[in-house]
Amino acid sequence: MFFTDMFISIAKISDASNPTIFPFPAWMLIGLAAASLIFFGYRFAVQKKPFQLIFAIAPLIALLLLFSESKKIFYGVGIVELILILIAFVSSIVCKPKTTEETPAQTTTAKED
């Protein structure tokens, strides 16, 4: 059996002729997107790092693919997701956490000891 025969036989399988984008059912994807929104939203509220807000919003944008079969939306969402990942990467490097400066009360007690 040649490799070309293998690919032809795979293409004849009904699942391969009608593939889906997501391997999970829609209710599970919506639940995962909601969980990521809650988790990254909470982390952004606590740590105030911009990339966490981007990661909270990005799965919600990907859910557009569940409700549309347009190729324009498919590629548009892909481009937007790529841009968001690049922005999150750059913001994680640029927006470093600020070091907390010691208050005068802490420095005077440290000198007295």
Side-chain angles (χ1 to χ4, degrees):
M1 179 179 209
F2 295 109
F3 285 113
T4 56
D5 294 337
M6 181 179 67
F7 292 130
I8 291 171
S9 62
I10 289 173
K12 290 180 181 178
I13 298 173
S14 63
D15 292 339
S17 65
N18 189 10
T20 59
I21 296 173
F22 300 110
F24 301 113
W27 63 268
M28 189 179 292
L29 293 171
I30 293 170
L32 289 172
S36 68
L37 177 69
I38 292 167
F39 175 75
F40 284 114
Y42 172 75
R43 295 309 305 161
F44 177 74
V46 171
Q47 294 179 340
K48 304 289 186 211
K49 295 181 181 178
F51 72 90
Q52 294 168 336
L53 186 61
I54 294 169
F55 283 151
I57 296 170
L60 299 176
I61 295 171
L63 288 179
L64 290 174
L65 298 176
L66 286 175
F67 305 111
S68 176
E69 295 184 10
S70 171
K71 289 288 187 182
K72 292 179 183 179
I73 292 178
F74 178 77
Y75 290 116
V77 167
I79 291 169
V80 168
E81 293 287 336
L82 179 65
I83 291 170
L84 287 176
I85 289 172
L86 292 174
I87 291 171
F89 178 72
V90 170
S91 69
S92 69
I93 293 172
V94 172
C95 300
K96 295 288 182 183
K98 296 177 182 176
T99 57
T100 57
E101 297 178 13
E102 292 184 10
T103 60
Q106 292 174 343
T107 57
T108 57
T109 58
K111 292 180 182 177
E112 293 174 359
D113 291 335

